[in-house]
Amino acid sequence: MERGEITLLYQPVLRVDTGAMASAEALARWTHPTRGPIRPDLFIAIAEESGLIVPLGRMLLRQACIDAATWPEHLGVAVNLSPVQFHAGDVYDTVIAALADSGLPPHRLKLEVTENVVMHDVERTFVELERLRAAGIKILMDDFGTGYSSLSYFERFPFDKVKIDQSFVRGLDTSRAAGAIIKAIVGLGEALGMAIVAEGVETCAQRDALVLAGCTHLQGYLFSRPVSSASIAALGAAGPDARALAA
Ligand code: G
Ligand code: G
Ligand code: MN
């Protein structure tokens, strides 16, 4: 962190209705001077165990807001929050400070939380999420449908968006259940007014099935890998890429 080796790349999220980019997800990358790239699932886990995720998360959140403030106004930025960061830290104050420092309007910031964030202390978490939402920030449920995801979370809290876990997208090719689960999550989204994102979209066949199922947003290597902040600014200014969603 002190050597500035941990940086952010951004992966576009596209709207299905227009094909335009709606936002980009900030993904941490560590390039070590001698070891080269270190996998984020590895160093994020170590940062969580050591508690360093609190200052690291604060730094990344601030950087993501500063970067997004340079993008066209219609683009939002999504930042992943770790359970440790959420429960050990002062997430609300950190988020408000990042918005103030960057000048980014709150509605352009989306926080991605997993069931692990919610599970830890359900009542306290929802109180905290409600505070953030009242400040105008969007809240997204990440990696939904695996682990201990509970449908009752939606009874308790109106998430703005739900991201279907990429394992179901991969499963589309081989498993009838995957398609059925995706349709069920989309139905929930339609009934409750939540946008539904599918991530990990790699093939045209997956894209077509997800559009047909009613997903509102798509993300994956088929459209773009994670890219620099400058590339997001350029892509956003260029407008919708008609090729992206064309069959
Ligand atoms: O691109 P990908 O390999 O980046 O990410 C691997 C995992 O690390 C994913 O589960 C992703 O959510 C997580 N991750 C990536 N960047 C961040 C970050 O800035 N903060 C947190 N808490 N998790 C991140
Ligand atoms: O846990 P979370 O959903 O935040 O993690 C997103 C992870 O998914 C990141 O590691 C990101 O690099 C990865 N990712 C994004 N798009 C694709 C894709 O199309 N295929 C695969 N295999 N991984 C993807
Ligand atoms: Mn995510």
Side-chain angles (χ1 to χ4, degrees):
M1 277 169 62
E2 284 170 1
R3 293 198 300 255
E5 289 166 15
I6 303 179
T7 55
L8 287 171
L9 291 182
Y10 297 90
Q11 188 180 31
V13 176
L14 276 67
R15 293 173 62 114
V16 167
D17 57 358
T18 60
M21 189 185 350
S23 59
E25 178 180 5
L27 294 163
R29 294 291 180 259
W30 180 10
T31 310
H32 188 275
T34 54
R35 290 165 187 255
I38 315 257
R39 292 180 42 184
D41 41 358
L42 188 67
F43 75 78
I44 295 284
I46 294 169
E48 286 176 333
E49 280 163 32
S50 61
L52 276 171
I53 193 72
V54 175
L56 176 63
R58 193 181 297 134
M59 182 189 94
L60 295 174
L61 182 67
R62 187 170 176 278
Q63 189 60 49
C65 291
I66 289 170
D67 286 345
T70 69
W71 302 347
E73 274 173 21
H74 67 279
L75 294 180
V77 66
V79 179
N80 291 286
L81 280 191
S82 142
V84 179
Q85 202 181 346
F86 203 90
H87 295 291
D90 37 356
V91 168
Y92 183 83
D93 293 342
T94 300
V95 167
I96 299 302
L99 291 172
D101 286 355
S102 62
L104 188 75
H107 71 269
R108 292 181 61 195
L109 177 63
K110 298 165 212 310
L111 298 176
E112 301 203 356
V113 303
T114 61
E115 70 212 358
N116 295 324
V117 169
V118 180
M119 262 174 53
H120 184 83
D121 180 346
V122 179
E123 278 318 305
R124 229 202 90 220
T125 302
F126 284 131
V127 169
E128 196 75 357
L129 290 178
E130 268 151 24
R131 272 179 90 198
L132 288 161
R133 203 158 186 266
I137 295 144
K138 302 273 189 289
I139 309 291
L140 181 153
M141 167 64 81
D142 202 4
D143 302 335
F144 187 73
T146 58
Y148 297 93
S149 313
S150 170
L151 293 175
S152 70
Y153 294 157
F154 299 116
E155 205 166 28
R156 182 66 185 77
F157 185 78
F159 288 90
D160 297 286
K161 250 185 185 176
V162 179
K163 200 180 267 191
I164 299 172
D165 191 77
Q166 46 182 288
S167 60
F168 299 117
V169 174
R170 236 170 280 134
L172 273 174
D173 305 329
T174 51
S175 128
R176 276 182 62 205
I181 291 165
I182 290 170
K183 282 190 194 122
I185 301 175
V186 167
L188 201 62
E190 284 170 354
L192 297 178
M194 301 183 295
I196 303 292
V197 198
E199 67 174 347
V201 187
E202 293 182 345
T203 68
C204 295
Q206 290 169 347
R207 174 201 60 196
D208 295 344
L210 293 162
V211 170
L212 197 66
C215 292
T216 60
H217 295 74
L218 301 177
Q219 180 183 18
Y221 296 165
L222 177 65
F223 310 109
S224 175
R225 294 198 165 245
V227 296
S228 68
S229 170
S231 302
I232 295 292
L235 283 168
D241 181 351
R243 285 168 310 168
L245 288 172

